[in-house]
Amino acid sequence: MIHMEQLLSILKEINPDNEYETEDRLIDGGLLDSLSLLTLVSELEDAFDIEITPTELVPANFNSAKAMWTMVQRLQQKP
Amino acid sequence: MNYTTLAYLLAFLPAVLALYGLLPRRLRRYLLLATSYLFYLLFSPKLIAYLLASTAIIYFFGRWMAKYGAVPAAAKKRRAIFWCAVILHLGTLLFLKFYNFAGWYLNALFTRLSLSASLPTLTLVLPLGISFFTLQAVSYLADVYKKTIPADGDFWRLALYMAFFPTIMEGPICRYSQTAEALSAGENLKYENICFGAQRIIWGLFKKLVIADRLNPVVATVFNNPPPYHGAVVLFSAICYTLQLYADFSGCIDITIGTAEMFGITLPENFRQPFLSRTPSEFWRRWHITLGAWLRDYIFYPLSLTRFVKRLGKKARAKLGKHLGSVAQTVLPLLAVWICNGLWHGTGWNYLFYGLYYFALILLGNLTEPLTAKAAAALHLGKNSAVRRALQTVKMAVIVVTGELFFRAANLHQGFALFQSIFSGFQLSALSSAMLAKLGLSIQDLAAVSVGLALVLIVGILHEKGIHIRKTVSGWKMGFRWSLYIAAILAVLIFGAYGAGYVAVDPIYANF
């Protein structure tokens, strides 16, 4: 999927040290710090034309690339 | 009756455990709640009103928010209810902490403006644990508002979440989703939990009584009567204070977490080998972890994601590039976090300075991160190279000790005076054993503290490697195991700071 690859490349650019394809503890494991997370939020908003509110900023949405992608798709469907 | 007293360790806690084990499951939560309120009443019979009021407010306002939860049109109402409850809590805390401080300055202003108005000085006492349970209350309200958790219809469960006796004095600051359920579940006592919990308590006692309390006299001597101390003596005292604060606070937290563990309840960790940090940011993810996490989740992220700050960030990224733009976006939220951190700790300009000190360092660190990465690469210093780690350790030691010097100083003016005095007539020879003894640190103290710190370092390194020491030891042969346990208890009894010449030191963080 082109969009998932886009998400992965955004993540790799922010912090290349993590294995985003398999990692599922990006937040709980402290692998993405708060600055990286904020950069990620603005990149995602720009790339996918969505709005990420503080309510969305929970580990469940950001612990893995897959979780992020699920959130992005859900927010894209919002009016 | 604080956590290091015989009354707590040999009477209160065993009694609660015994009753807990004897009671049927469904009554255990009421026992924990009753004993928590008893614990509080033993400290301050009248001020428990604040804890009770806070509990009632979050219960009723939480349910009120839930009433409008499913109705999108009532979003404004929900927001108003939320902010009303939050302002009640933070307003009370700010009033109790800062009324007299602000009043002094306002009165000075009135005098300057030749106004006859004047605010009376009130005798305000901070209720035990208010800085901690207020944050727990606000986190509950925020999580209900964000719909991360449903409002709790069980008043007693909420009350126990707020009042649980091990956490009421110094935290850790728990989230509702972390502890409320387990506290009320009334799980059976397990032998392993009781053993591991007791061992953790002994470790905490060791840190507090053998290290922290033995360092207290020298710290008190220098910081409470600064002249004529200067140079190496002041630096030494600042280092001692840093170690005292760590041993005291983390030791009490060990007792707290160990107590909860005996009941089978897991509390969040508050310390994770903070002196192994490489940057100030990392330090605050390893020191007083639950406070940092609270500020990050309830101030930093919400502020960073407001439309205003996001717009600022977008403009900054367009003008300054991705990295600088992202850092620019964090300036205002970080400032808010660090002002709150400073003021949460106390009423004094030195606490505000302490917060702004870390604000500046962390911002600087974030700004220069690409540069330092490039420099390290150019010098072929990998992330884990010995040279780089050594440099980072020295850097962090200087940063942390300097910060704690201001933190401990009586006021900002004295902080600067003490800091400057380090550089006047600095001579290591001033730290003779005669001088140290005069300051309150005898040879025996020095020996006990040194061995204690060495043990803390070894334990820290083992923890950093992910080794669960108590579990490992429980696998040893009985002879070795019990030798270690008895040695540990004896170490606390023999080397702990008590007896003639020592004053029992109240847990430092209970004052916040």
Side-chain angles (χ1 to χ4, degrees):
Chain A
M1 275 180 67
I2 299 169
H3 295 308
M4 186 57 162
E5 277 167 27
Q6 199 180 358
L7 171 63
L8 287 171
S9 79
I10 291 173
L11 286 165
K12 277 270 180 239
E13 214 194 309
I14 290 173
N15 189 333
D17 295 337
N18 301 318
E19 291 295 328
Y20 296 107
E21 288 86 346
T22 49
E23 186 58 62
D24 63 355
R25 292 194 45 154
L26 288 166
I27 304 299
D28 291 335
L31 297 167
L32 274 181
D33 65 18
S34 38
L35 187 59
S36 304
L37 198 54
L38 282 185
T39 312
L40 175 62
V41 164
S42 29
E43 299 268 328
L44 291 177
E45 286 186 329
D46 288 342
F48 301 108
D49 195 26
I50 52 175
E51 192 186 353
I52 299 176
T53 58
T55 333
E56 300 291 342
L57 211 61
V58 288
N61 283 345
F62 284 89
N63 257 333
S64 66
K66 200 168 170 208
M68 289 181 220
W69 182 237
T70 311
M71 176 194 68
V72 166
Q73 286 179 307
R74 178 170 42 83
L75 293 174
Q76 277 179 327
Q77 279 159 17
K78 265 192 180 166
Chain B
M1 182 182 54
N2 69 51
Y3 305 121
T4 55
T5 57
L6 290 173
Y8 176 80
L9 297 164
L10 298 180
F12 184 84
L13 180 55
V16 179
L17 271 167
L19 286 169
Y20 186 95
L22 289 169
L23 282 175
R25 187 175 221 150
R26 57 187 172 77
L27 294 181
R28 287 171 179 164
R29 61 192 340 226
Y30 302 110
L31 171 74
L32 287 181
L33 185 60
T35 49
S36 295
Y37 284 149
L38 174 65
F39 184 84
Y40 201 99
L41 285 166
L42 288 170
F43 271 98
S44 44
K46 287 188 213 158
L47 298 174
I48 198 173
Y50 285 93
L51 175 60
L52 297 172
S54 176
T55 308
I57 289 171
I58 65 172
Y59 174 73
F60 287 113
F61 280 71
R63 298 199 65 186
W64 201 5
M65 276 194 275
K67 212 172 98 172
Y68 297 108
V71 185
K76 272 203 180 128
K77 237 180 193 144
R78 280 186 90 239
R79 193 162 59 225
I81 296 166
F82 167 67
W83 281 110
C84 190
V86 169
I87 287 168
L88 275 171
H89 277 89
L90 294 181
T92 306
L93 184 62
L94 286 169
F95 178 79
L96 290 172
K97 276 183 114 115
F98 294 101
Y99 170 80
N100 285 324
F101 184 78
W104 191 90
Y105 285 98
L106 279 171
N107 286 341
L109 182 65
F110 293 154
T111 312
R112 263 214 147 193
L113 298 173
S114 304
L115 295 169
S116 61
S118 114
L119 286 164
T121 318
L122 298 172
T123 316
L124 295 170
V125 184
L126 272 183
L128 179 75
I130 192 168
S131 300
F132 295 95
F133 69 69
T134 298
L135 294 192
Q136 289 204 176
V138 172
S139 86
Y140 170 77
L141 290 165
D143 289 347
V144 169
Y145 177 66
K146 284 192 304 183
K147 296 186 184 168
T148 315
I149 54 171
D152 201 343
D154 185 344
F155 180 82
W156 304 115
R157 180 165 54 201
L158 208 49
L160 183 52
Y161 160 71
M162 288 287 284
F164 189 42
F165 68 86
T167 56
I168 194 72
M169 267 180 88
E170 298 195 327
I173 300 161
C174 304
R175 307 291 170 87
Y176 178 87
S177 54
Q178 283 173 324
T179 59
E181 195 77 49
L183 282 168
S184 263
E187 289 293 335
N188 289 333
L189 296 176
K190 290 199 178 87
Y191 178 71
E192 188 182 75
N193 289 340
I194 295 177
C195 286
F196 283 179
Q199 288 160 15
R200 184 139 189 195
I201 290 174
I202 292 171
W203 176 239
L205 282 171
F206 177 80
K207 286 200 278 193
K208 169 92 169 79
L209 298 172
V210 175
I211 301 174
D213 289 2
R214 281 186 186 269
L215 288 172
N216 189 61
V218 66
V219 172
T221 306
V222 175
F223 279 89
N224 295 353
N225 316 286
Y229 303 113
H230 66 99
V233 169
V234 172
L235 178 61
F236 181 72
S237 303
I239 294 171
C240 285
Y241 177 65
T242 306
L243 295 170
Q244 178 198 4
L245 183 62
Y246 173 65
D248 186 294
F249 194 13
S250 71
C252 285
I253 291 290
D254 283 325
I255 298 172
T256 294
I257 295 181
T259 301
E261 193 170 356
M262 292 179 97
F263 293 96
I265 295 158
T266 309
L267 297 179
E269 292 294 335
N270 231 5
F271 291 91
R272 193 168 52 95
Q273 297 77 257
F275 298 112
L276 295 179
S277 304
R278 307 180 195 217
T279 64
S281 291
E282 188 180 359
F283 181 75
W284 282 95
R285 291 195 290 271
R286 288 172 175 266
W287 174 284
H288 207 170
I289 298 171
T290 56
L291 177 66
W294 193 99
L295 292 168
R296 180 199 63 208
D297 291 343
Y298 298 105
I299 297 188
F300 183 73
Y301 283 144
L303 280 182
S304 302
L305 296 177
T306 55
R307 291 225 172 98
F308 172 70
V309 175
K310 272 201 252 185
R311 254 201 324 264
L312 267 174
K314 213 168 184 171
K315 281 192 192 145
R317 262 187 297 275
K319 276 211 166 117
L320 306 166
K322 263 194 193 152
H323 175 70
L324 289 178
S326 293
V327 174
Q329 186 179 350
T330 66
V331 172
L332 290 175
L334 266 182
L335 184 60
V337 162
W338 286 103
I339 289 175
C340 289
N341 184 318
L343 295 181
W344 180 88
H345 280 99
T347 334
W349 295 110
N350 60 317
Y351 293 109
L352 184 60
F353 177 82
Y354 179 78
L356 293 175
Y357 171 77
Y358 275 104
F359 164 70
L361 286 170
I362 287 173
L363 193 59
L364 189 66
N366 288 345
L367 277 170
T368 56
E369 199 261 323
L371 282 171
T372 42
K374 271 201 185 122
L379 294 166
H380 301 290
L381 290 173
K383 261 199 175 136
N384 290 313
S385 84
V387 174
R388 193 166 178 186
R389 291 235 57 176
L391 287 170
Q392 286 169 327
T393 305
V394 170
K395 171 192 86 178
M396 283 310 300
V398 171
I399 286 174
V400 172
V401 170
T402 303
E404 298 305 342
L405 180 149
F406 281 92
F407 189 80
R408 177 61 173 82
N411 52 58
L412 190 57
H413 175 79
Q414 196 209 73
F416 279 115
L418 276 168
F419 184 72
Q420 281 170 331
S421 78
I422 293 176
F423 303 99
S424 77
F426 185 95
Q427 278 174 310
L428 271 177
S429 55
L431 291 171
S432 62
S433 51
M435 179 50 144
L436 291 179
K438 194 170 136 217
L439 292 171
L441 193 70
S442 65
I443 291 285
Q444 296 91 323
D445 289 326
L446 206 49
V449 167
S450 303
V451 172
L453 288 172
L455 281 170
V456 168
L457 179 63
I458 293 168
V459 167
I461 292 173
L462 290 172
H463 281 161
E464 190 74 4
K465 289 188 187 290
I467 298 168
H468 190 298
I469 298 172
R470 287 166 290 165
K471 227 189 185 104
T472 310
V473 169
S474 71
W476 290 359
K477 280 214 171 82
M478 198 168 86
F480 291 120
R481 223 168 60 223
W482 276 99
S483 305
L484 182 65
Y485 299 154
I486 291 171
I489 296 171
L490 284 177
V492 174
L493 291 174
I494 297 173
F495 300 111
Y498 4 69
Y502 291 104
V503 176
V505 183
D506 283 333
I508 296 175
Y509 259 76
N511 293 318
F512 297 123

